[in-house]
């Protein structure tokens, strides 16, 4: 008998070998290594929630240069420091944006 294998839960009886193994059970997707098993239902639910959150954050924004002020005749729309498009008087411009985006009109 191997005295290192003796413990209260599984005594070694006679001339028999004792083997033990751990079984880990996960209740959701577990990442961290390539080929990690995924729970398809939970993964689909997570993707659906992510799309819903993105849709709630996205906005459709309209810009319109009415042309009433001659100073804005050559107005240009910028997203942050990047030129987006000229704001032609009387022509609405629609863009997809998000809550924290910053748009500027330069004349």
């Amino acid at each position: 008998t191997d005295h290192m294998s003796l413990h209260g839960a599984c005594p070694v009886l006679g001339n028999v070998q004792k083997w033990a193994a751990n079984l880990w059970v996960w209740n959701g997707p577990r990442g961290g290594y390539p080929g990690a098993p995924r729970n398809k239902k939970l993964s689909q639910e997570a993707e659906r929630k992510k799309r819903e959150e993105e849709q709630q954050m996205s906005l459709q924004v309209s810009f319109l240069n009415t042309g009433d002020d001659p100073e804005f005749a050559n107005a240009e729309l910028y997203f942050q420091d990047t030129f987006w498009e000229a704001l032609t008087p009387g022509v609405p411009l629609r863009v997809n944006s998000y809550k924290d985006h910053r748009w500027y009109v330069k004349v």
Side-chain angles (χ1 to χ4, degrees), residues 37-66:
R38 296 183 62 182
N39 181 313
K40 187 175 180 180
K41 182 179 177 182
L42 290 177
S43 296
Q44 289 172 341
E45 179 67 17
E47 286 296 320
R48 185 188 63 76
K49 284 183 181 180
K50 182 180 176 183
R51 282 191 305 273
E52 285 178 1
E53 288 172 1
E54 287 174 352
Q55 288 174 350
Q56 289 173 357
M57 292 175 40
S58 68
L59 304 168
Q60 182 157 40
V61 184
S62 296
F63 298 93
L64 177 63
N65 180 354
T66 61

Side-chain angles (χ1 to χ4, degrees), residues 1-2 5 12-19:
T1 303
D2 180 358
S5 65
V12 177
L13 303 174
N15 233 358
V16 179
Q17 291 183 351
K18 179 174 74 173
W19 294 83

